[in-house]
Amino acid sequence: MGTVVDDAASAEFHAFFERHYAELARLAHLLTGEPDAADDLAADALLALWHRWDRVRAADHPVAYARGVVANLARTRVRAAVRERRRVALFWSQREERTENPDVAGAVDVQEALRRLPFRKRACVVLRHAFDLSEKDTALALGVSVGTVKSQTSKGVAELQRLLGTRAVPRAPRQVHAAIARSGRAAGGAR
């Protein structure tokens, strides 16, 4: 059971939330240009405020502090989106312009199978085999250890083999690499 101070702080934060959530979500939307992300950013900001509520409520301008938190979260999101766009642009600029006789059906099958993998396995397989990153570079990109990359890549390839059948994804790592790389080129060339 909470104390009187805890209950008072909780009620005060709830009132602050009700008064300012829509404004903070609108601010996030205007800063990022992403209406879907706006609610998440506002909620994340308010969660951060709740964890520091004793300091925030003692501040001269708690709403200004909240706006600053939203702005920082939005800045982080925009920077991440810019980095992602640069990575995608770099990938597409390095790929071949045309693929002779692309196996579009095969590419669709591989892409569908990749979507069925859990995110970390999918990310490891794609970064290692479609982007030709080393285990170390993949680990840096994902913020995991090299051992995790090795394990998740191996498990991801095994799941692809199970999902597609062994004839669609060969056992040899070079052949797996080629099938996934072809899948990306065929899909890009089929556009």
Side-chain angles (χ1 to χ4, degrees):
M1 183 101 178
T3 64
V4 173
V5 174
D6 291 340
D7 290 341
S10 179
E12 190 176 73
F13 177 79
H14 182 74
F16 182 88
F17 180 97
E18 292 295 324
R19 249 188 337 270
H20 300 290
Y21 176 80
E23 172 195 346
L24 296 174
R26 191 172 73 245
L27 173 63
H29 176 212
L30 293 171
L31 291 174
T32 63
E34 300 177 33
D36 295 338
D39 286 334
D40 291 341
L41 289 173
D44 289 346
L46 285 163
L47 179 62
L49 292 176
W50 171 245
H51 288 297
R52 295 183 219 111
W53 187 243
D54 287 340
R55 284 187 294 180
V56 173
R57 73 190 233 200
D60 290 337
H61 303 285
V63 176
Y65 185 84
R67 289 180 188 132
V69 172
V70 169
N72 286 333
L73 290 172
R75 180 182 310 115
T76 299
R77 184 169 183 91
V78 167
R79 285 179 178 167
V82 167
R83 283 191 305 270
E84 179 64 21
R85 281 193 294 271
R86 286 181 183 153
R87 282 191 295 264
V88 168
L90 178 65
F91 171 72
W92 287 112
S93 70
Q94 293 177 349
R95 77 185 227 327
E96 297 173 17
E97 286 301 313
R98 281 272 182 207
T99 301
E100 293 298 319
N101 302 321
D103 180 7
V104 176
V108 170
D109 289 345
V110 171
Q111 289 172 353
E112 180 59 34
L114 282 169
R115 276 192 286 278
R116 293 179 62 191
L117 293 179
F119 177 78
R120 185 170 286 169
K121 289 179 188 173
R122 180 180 348 131
C124 287
V125 169
V126 167
L127 290 173
R128 291 281 295 124
H129 296 294
F131 283 76
D132 284 326
L133 293 184
S134 67
E135 290 168 341
K136 182 181 176 186
D137 289 341
T138 301
L140 285 171
L142 298 176
V144 299
S145 70
V146 171
T148 298
V149 170
K150 290 178 181 180
S151 169
Q152 294 296 298
T153 302
S154 175
K155 290 175 182 177
V157 168
E159 279 189 53
L160 284 176
Q161 288 172 333
R162 183 184 57 76
L163 291 168
L164 295 169
T166 54
R167 63 179 196 274
V169 180
R171 282 209 180 276
R174 282 192 178 129
Q175 292 171 324
V176 171
H177 171 84
I180 293 169
R182 272 193 313 273
S183 160
R185 284 192 304 271
R191 289 180 185 178

